Amino acid sequence: ELIEDGRSGTVTIPGDSATVAAAMLRYATDAQYRRAHGQAARARAEELFSLSGMMTRYRELYSRHSAQAMETG
């Protein structure tokens, strides 16, 4: 949920050491790529886990469940 492959990080298949090594090498050698992913990851974390973001998601959750409860009576 937190990592968006190619945008805020690199998702690999567990046990695929060649892909992990390639991703690590790219992060180690490409400052622009590393910076872009870092900034995107921070923005996503702030959006998802800030107090404001959490309150918004809880409000949406309660609204959805309240509406469902009223429909089923």
Side-chain angles (χ1 to χ4, degrees):
E1 175 178 294
L2 182 59
I3 301 299
E4 297 173 297
D5 191 33
R7 177 165 159 45
S8 62
T10 302
V11 177
T12 62
I13 297 169
D16 186 351
S17 58
T19 303
V20 172
M24 291 173 66
L25 182 62
R26 179 142 190 218
Y27 283 112
T29 59
D30 188 337
Q32 183 176 356
Y33 183 77
R34 183 174 60 240
R35 191 175 305 109
H37 279 204
Q39 289 171 343
R42 181 182 179 122
R44 182 142 172 89
E46 288 174 348
E47 172 191 335
L48 292 174
F49 301 111
S50 68
L51 179 58
S52 173
M54 295 293 286
M55 288 176 65
T56 297
R57 281 193 308 289
Y58 275 119
R59 248 185 261 120
E60 291 168 355
L61 177 70
Y62 290 138
S63 293
R64 249 190 338 267
H65 286 285
S66 295
Q68 288 174 355
M70 291 186 74
E71 288 174 3
T72 59

